[in-house]
Amino acid sequence: RVRSIADSVRGVLDSWRALPPESGVPLEESDLQEAVRWALHPKPLTGVHTVVYANKAHSNLQLLVDTAPFPVRVVTLGTGWKGTLDKLLGYWHALKSVGDNDIVLLLDAFDVFGNGFDGHELLRRYFSFDTPIVIAAEENIFPREVQVAAAEALEELAQLGR
C-alpha cells in the first residue's frame, strides 16, 4: 500500500518536473520536497502567521524574527504601553486580516524565540492536538492587572483540591 501511494505521489511530482521552463518559474527539487511536506498536513492551509505585539524596538524581538519558523508580523498601537488591553486590541486587529484556513501564532515579542525546529514540526505538533486552539504559557504567568484576582482563584481551587 505504501508503495502504491509513493508511486502516485511520484507521478504527480514527475508531472511538475516535466513542465517546460516557459510555463513559469522553474521548480527546484527543494520546492517539490517542500510541497510534499505541506501536503502531508491533515488540512489545507492558506497561510501561517506569527503575530507579536511590540510598542518599542528590542534585541529579543530581533532574535525572534531571526529564529521563528514563519515570518513575524509586528502589530502595535503606538509607542506608549497602556496595558495588556493594547496587546489584545493589536491581536484583534491582526486577526481580522487572516483567512479561515490560516494558522495564527500569537506570541510575546520580547521573551520568545525559535527553538531550532522547522515550521513543519511546529504544525505537526499543532495538528496532533486535534483542536482549533492551542494555548501554551509559563506557569503563573498572567497580566499584572489580574494578579490579585488570579492568586485568589488559585487559592480557592487549591482549597477545593484541584
Side-chain angles (χ1 to χ4, degrees), residues 39-58:
L40 288 172
H41 296 302
K43 295 179 182 175
L45 301 173
T46 53
V48 180
H49 310 271
T50 302
V51 180
V52 301
Y53 180 88
N55 63 331
K56 62 184 176 186
H58 194 283

Side-chain angles (χ1 to χ4, degrees), residues 6 8 17 41 46 51 66 77 113 119:
S8 296
R17 287 182 184 114
H41 296 302
T46 53
V51 180
D66 293 343
L77 297 179
F113 57 92

